[in-house]
Amino acid sequence: MLSSLFLNPSARAAEPLPVGSNPPALGAEPFPDRLHAFVWRNWELVPAAKLAEVVGASADRIEAVAASMGLPPAVGLDPETRSRVYITILRRNWHLLPYDQILTLLDMSPAKLAFALREDDFLYIKLGSLKPRCEPLRYAEPTPEARARASAIKEVVESRFGAAIVDSGEPPMAFRRRWEAAPAGPEAGAGPGADASRTAAETGPRFASSYFGTYGDALAEPGRDGFPDGLLAELAEQGVNGVWLHVVLRTLAPGGPDFPEFGEGSAERLANLRSLIERAGRRGVKVYLYLNEPRAMPLSFFATRPEMKGVVDGAHAVMCTSDDRVRSWMKRAVEHVAREAPGLGGVFTITASENVTSCASHGRIAECPRCSKRTPAEVIAEVNATIAEGLRAGAPDAKFIAWDWGWIDPAQAAATIARLPRDAYFQTVAEWDLPIERGGVKTTVGEYSLSATGPSDRARLRWGLARDAGLKTSAKVQLNATWELAAVPSIPVYDLVADLCRNLAEARVDSMMLGWSLGGCPSPQLRVAQLFAEDPTATPDAVLDRVAAERFGADAAPQARLAWSAFSRAFREYPYHGVVLYNGPQQMGPANPLHERATGYRATMVGFPYDDLDGWCGPYPARVFADQFRKVADGWAAGIPALREAVLGAPAPLRAAAEADLGVAEAVGLHFASVANQADFVIARSRDDRDAMRRLLDAEIQAARSLYPLARRDSRLGFEASNHYFYRPLDLVEKVVGCEALKARLATP
C-alpha cells in the first residue's frame, strides 16, 4: 500500500507499464478542461509546485487556476504522507494523465509503479486492467470560455458550501498522527478491555490488522509497520490480543547456498519486527505473521535451477515444493525468523489463493511434472507442515494457523485437514456458503459479510473435521467493516455482531481473526468478541447493554441500543453478492459522479464503479438492487434519531467518542442512500425520464453536501487500508458541481 512495499524493484528487470485495451479517457466534466480537473482533483493532496512541475507551469499559475474555481489556499501533503495515499492520487489522475506525468506526480520510477500495479493487492485489476489513453497535459492560459466556466463553478461552490469550503478540517490520515503521538507507556492502555492480556491464554487469539498499515513490505523501515503505540493501546482496550501483518519470507531470512539472493535487508526487517513485538507485548498483544509461500519467482531465477521450476505463471514460475531444497529453505527461513524474533505470537498461512505459491495453489497441479503425481491435498498439507515445523523449531510456544481460503473442493479440503500438524489451528471463513434471500433473490454468502451472520454449515463441518483430527479451530470474520461498505471505520450493526459472536461461542471456536486488510480500526464491536470469548454463555442483550454503557454511559445506553437494533434490521436487507461487494458504488457513495450519457466503462474491483449498473447488480435485477439499497437506507435513517439522543445523553468524558460514532453512522446511511439514488438515476437515464433524473440529481446534491462536513471532521471517512482514500471532501464538492451542471443541461430541451 505504500512505496515501502516494493520488494527491491530496482533489482528486477525493467517492466513495461501496462495499458491493456487503452481506450480513450473520460472527459473532464464538469470542468472546462483537463487542466482545471487536474488542479481540482489534486488540490489539498499535492503541493502547487509539484502540480506546476507536472504540467510545465509556475506555482502561482496553478494557484490562480484553483482560486478561479473557488478553491481555498492549500499547501498539499508532505512527501511521506503522500506516499501513504499514493493509490488515491494515482486513481484520480488515471483518466487525466499519461504514465510519464503520473510518475512525475508520484515521484516514482517506472519500475516501482510497474511493481505496484502488479503486486499491491491487485492494484492494476482494481484500475480495470487498462490505462485510459491520455495525451500529455501542458499548461496553457485558460481561454475566455474556460474562465467563464471556472467562474460558474466558483458560484456553485460559494452558494452551496459557503464558509465551509475554507474549513480544512482534519488533514488526510490525521488518525495516524493521533496514534503516533499517543504515550508509549502501559498507562495508555487503560480501558474497558485492558485486561485482554490476562485472558488471552484462556480465550484464544483474537487478532486484527492495522487500520492503515502496509500490506506489502511492512517491516522495511522503522515505524512503518502500521501499529503505533496509540493504535496498539486502543486495540487492546477493545479486547484485541493479537495483530497481524503480511510478510514475504525471502525478505526476512537468508537463502543459504541454494538461494544466495534471498535475505537482502533481512537484519533490518527483523530488528523492526522485534521492536513491534516488544511494543505490542507491553499491551498484552501478540504479533502474527501472514505467510503466502513460497512466492513465485521470475523465470530468470530458474536459469540455473531448472529442476526447481514448477507451474509457470506469465513471467514467473513456482518454486516447486516437491523439491527438497525448496522445503528445506522454507523450514530454515521460518525457524530463523522465529528465533530472531522472540515472543512472536505465531503465523497464519494461505496456501491455495492470493499469490501463486505451490504448484497446487491455483488448481494447476497437473502442469508440474513432479506435483502432478501427487494430490493437491498432499502438496498443500506439506507446505503447511513445513512452515509449522520451522515455527515449532524456532518458537515452540508460537501458534500455527492454517487458513483454508481457496480449498474449494470438499474432498481435497477434508484430506488436507486430516494431514495438518496436530498442534495447528484450522481456520475457515465463518459465513462461507451461508444461504440468504434478499428481495426475493436466493444466493449464498462468500465472505466479508456482516449482513448475514454465520457460521454456515460448511464452516461447522470443517471445524468438526478439524476437531476430529485433534486440531483447534479459528473463525475468520469481519466485525468492523466489510466490502459491503469499506469506506467507514466500522458499520455499527452491533446486534448482528453480537449474534455472530454468540453463534461462534456456541460452536466452540477457539480463535478469531477479526478482519482482513479492512476492519482494523478500534471500535466497541471488537470488544463484543472479547466479552463472548470470556463468557461463552453470555446473551447478546447482556453483552450489548454492557458495551453501550461503556460507550455512551448508563443513562444513554438504551437509546444507543435502539439505534444499533434499527441499523442491524436495516442491514439485513443488503443485497449481498460478491459482484455487488466488489463492483458496486457503495465505497464511493455520494462522491461517485453521475453521467448524462453512458460512459461505456465497466465497473472495476473496488476501484472505479463508473455508471455500470449491470456490473453492480450481480444476480439482482436492477430494480431489485435499487429497492434493496433504498430499504437499507430508509431503515438506517430510522435509527439515527435514537443515536442522536444517546449522544446528547452521554457524559462529558464519553461525548467526543459518541459524537464520532454518530458521524460514522450518518455517513453510512448517506452511502447507502446514494447507491439507491445512483441506480435509480441510471434506470431513469435509460428511459430518458428527465424529471426523475433531476429529482435524483437533487437527492445526490443533498447527500454530498451532508457528507461533506462529516468527512471534513473525521479523516477516517473514505479511507480503507488497501485502497487508501476512495474519496476526499473536495470530491463531494465536485459531485455537487457536476450535478448542478447536469441539471442545467437537462433543463434545456
Side-chain angles (χ1 to χ4, degrees):
M1 299 171 194
L2 312 177
S3 57
S4 65
L5 73 86
F6 307 135
L7 306 177
N8 196 20
S10 62
R12 298 173 177 267
E15 300 177 57
L17 290 165
V19 297
S21 59
N22 199 213
L26 294 178
E29 295 85 0
F31 302 102
D33 50 42
R34 272 197 300 154
L35 176 67
H36 287 77
F38 169 72
V39 172
W40 180 289
R41 291 174 184 169
N42 291 287
W43 202 244
E44 297 185 346
L45 295 176
V46 182
K50 172 58 71 172
L51 300 181
E53 177 188 348
V54 171
V55 298
S58 60
D60 62 316
R61 291 183 182 275
I62 297 297
E63 290 165 351
V65 171
S68 74
M69 296 183 287
L71 293 175
V75 297
L77 302 177
D78 62 89
E80 196 273 341
T81 305
R82 287 208 306 275
S83 76
R84 291 182 177 271
V85 296
Y86 87 89
I87 293 175
T88 298
I89 298 172
L90 177 64
R91 189 167 49 236
R92 65 187 46 238
N93 290 281
W94 198 240
H95 281 270
L96 293 178
L97 300 177
Y99 270 131
D100 58 345
Q101 289 184 294
I102 286 176
L103 293 170
T104 301
L105 185 67
L106 295 176
D107 288 317
M108 270 191 189
S109 69
K112 281 189 172 182
L113 181 55
F115 195 78
L117 290 171
R118 188 182 72 247
E119 298 288 349
D120 195 354
D121 197 36
F122 310 105
L123 179 55
Y124 187 55
I125 293 174
K126 292 177 179 179
L127 294 169
S129 297
L130 56 83
K131 174 65 179 78
R133 186 167 64 254
C134 305
E135 295 300 318
L137 177 61
R138 304 299 178 203
Y139 179 83
E141 283 294 311
T143 64
E145 294 80 8
R147 293 180 187 277
R149 177 63 192 136
S151 179
I153 290 172
K154 183 177 182 179
E155 290 179 9
V156 173
V157 171
E158 291 176 344
S159 65
R160 289 297 196 172
F161 292 89
I165 198 69
V166 300
D167 179 7
S168 59
E170 282 197 341
M173 300 195 76
F175 52 82
R176 176 177 70 95
R177 299 295 187 191
R178 286 195 296 272
W179 286 325
E180 289 176 342
E187 68 279 3
D195 58 348
S197 63
R198 294 195 296 272
T199 62
E202 302 171 14
T203 61
R206 292 181 303 282
F207 53 108
S209 62
S210 170
Y211 179 57
F212 66 93
T214 303
Y215 182 79
D217 199 1
L219 299 171
E221 304 169 22
R224 304 281 285 202
D225 54 50
F227 291 104
D229 288 313
L231 177 55
L232 289 170
E234 290 190 25
L235 288 171
E237 288 170 8
Q238 302 301 342
V240 174
N241 59 30
V243 295
W244 71 266
L245 65 162
H246 166 265
V247 296
V248 175
L249 194 54
R250 69 175 183 269
T251 70
L252 288 179
D258 290 321
F259 310 109
E261 58 268 75
F262 291 178
E264 181 181 351
S266 60
E268 293 81 2
R269 290 183 177 88
L270 288 171
N272 294 333
L273 177 57
R274 286 191 293 271
S275 174
L276 174 59
I277 290 171
E278 189 275 329
R279 291 188 297 106
R282 293 202 300 264
R283 313 287 183 182
V285 174
K286 290 289 188 179
V287 175
Y288 296 82
L289 303 180
Y290 159 42
L291 295 179
N292 187 211
E293 297 287 344
R295 291 299 179 86
M297 297 298 291
L299 294 177
S300 58
F301 175 85
F302 300 97
T304 58
R305 309 171 176 100
E307 67 284 356
M308 289 187 193
K309 187 169 74 171
V311 172
V312 176
D313 184 59
H316 292 70
V318 167
M319 293 176 65
C320 180
T321 56
S322 290
D323 189 298
D324 291 343
R325 290 166 297 177
V326 174
R327 295 197 312 279
S328 177
W329 165 73
M330 290 172 61
K331 175 185 175 299
R332 292 195 314 270
V334 174
E335 179 179 354
H336 177 79
V337 173
R339 289 192 188 279
E340 292 296 315
L344 180 69
V347 305
F348 73 87
T349 62
I350 293 179
T351 46
S353 186
E354 299 297 296
N355 298 282
V356 175
T357 53
S358 74
C359 296
S361 63
H362 280 59
R364 297 167 57 191
I365 193 171
E367 299 174 26
C368 175
R370 293 165 297 277
C371 295
S372 61
K373 299 180 176 65
R374 312 172 67 193
T375 67
E378 289 171 344
V379 173
I380 290 173
E382 185 177 64
V383 170
N384 279 293
T386 299
I387 293 171
E389 186 179 355
L391 182 66
R392 194 181 305 114
D397 294 332
K399 294 176 172 60
F400 174 75
I401 304 168
W403 186 0
D404 71 344
W405 213 106
W407 300 4
I408 303 299
D409 181 81
Q412 289 296 325
T416 306
I417 292 169
R419 288 175 167 85
L420 291 175
R422 299 303 89 175
D423 58 352
Y425 283 71
F426 166 75
Q427 178 169 289
T428 195
V429 174
E431 65 269 26
W432 201 290
D433 271 355
L434 188 71
I436 59 171
E437 182 175 348
R438 307 278 166 86
V441 177
K442 295 181 179 181
T443 184
T444 57
V445 170
E447 60 174 341
Y448 294 118
S449 173
L450 268 174
S451 64
T453 55
S456 64
D457 290 344
R458 176 189 184 272
R460 294 179 187 274
L461 172 63
R462 293 195 177 186
W463 287 326
L465 292 172
R467 291 193 189 95
D468 291 344
L471 310 180
K472 291 190 175 182
T473 56
S474 181
K476 158 59 177 62
V477 297
Q478 294 285 150
L479 295 192
N480 259 343
T482 80
W483 293 118
E484 290 161 313
L485 181 57
V488 294
S490 60
I491 308 169
V493 285
Y494 283 79
D495 295 54
L496 300 180
V497 171
D499 286 347
L500 171 61
C501 291
R502 175 203 58 200
N503 295 345
L504 293 176
E506 292 176 350
R508 299 181 294 112
V509 173
D510 301 300
S511 170
M512 295 174 69
M513 182 180 183
L514 301 172
W516 185 237
S517 62
L518 68 163
C521 191
S523 89
Q525 286 168 230
L526 303 177
R527 171 84 165 131
V528 172
Q530 181 196 16
L531 293 177
F532 274 104
E534 291 176 356
D535 182 6
T537 66
T539 65
D541 280 340
V543 167
L544 293 182
D545 285 347
R546 179 173 174 181
V547 172
E550 292 173 352
R551 192 68 167 181
F552 290 88
D555 292 342
Q559 291 300 312
R561 287 292 318 278
L562 288 174
W564 294 347
S565 294
F567 299 156
S568 298
R569 285 192 300 274
F571 202 49
R572 288 189 182 276
E573 297 290 345
Y574 190 100
Y576 178 96
H577 190 267
V579 171
V580 177
L581 267 58
Y582 286 126
N583 289 358
Q586 64 271 16
Q587 318 305 347
M588 294 285 288
N592 194 41
L594 296 177
H595 301 271
E596 184 176 4
R597 298 176 182 85
T599 65
Y601 272 85
R602 300 194 64 172
T604 71
M605 186 180 79
V606 294
F608 294 111
Y610 296 114
D611 55 349
D612 183 17
L613 177 59
D614 290 341
W616 299 344
C617 292
Y620 299 93
R623 181 71 268 151
V624 173
F625 175 88
D627 289 347
Q628 287 303 118
F629 268 106
R630 189 71 67 191
K631 289 178 185 177
V632 177
D634 291 347
W636 197 277
I640 293 294
L643 193 60
R644 288 176 178 153
E645 288 295 320
V647 170
L648 291 175
L654 302 178
R655 183 68 59 80
E659 289 175 344
D661 286 358
L662 174 60
V664 169
E666 290 176 333
V668 170
L670 291 168
H671 274 253
F672 292 148
S674 179
V675 176
N677 293 339
Q678 292 177 56
D680 279 335
F681 181 88
V682 176
I683 292 171
R685 186 182 67 185
S686 70
R687 299 170 178 169
D688 196 26
D689 185 345
R690 294 195 167 202
D691 289 340
M693 291 169 71
R694 283 192 290 268
R695 288 195 301 272
L696 291 160
L697 287 167
D698 283 332
E700 280 296 271
I701 288 170
Q702 184 57 48
R705 292 181 65 198
S706 298
L707 184 56
Y708 178 83
L710 303 176
R712 278 293 187 204
R713 288 198 300 267
D714 190 341
S715 62
R716 300 174 302 171
L717 296 180
F719 182 83
E720 188 276 321
S722 65
N723 294 280
H724 303 170
Y725 279 101
F726 288 109
Y727 61 85
R728 293 294 302 147
L730 283 182
D731 298 323
L732 299 165
V733 182
E734 178 183 335
K735 176 65 171 284
V736 172
V737 171
C739 288
E740 292 285 8
L742 184 48
K743 278 177 60 182
R745 291 197 297 274
L746 290 175
T748 303

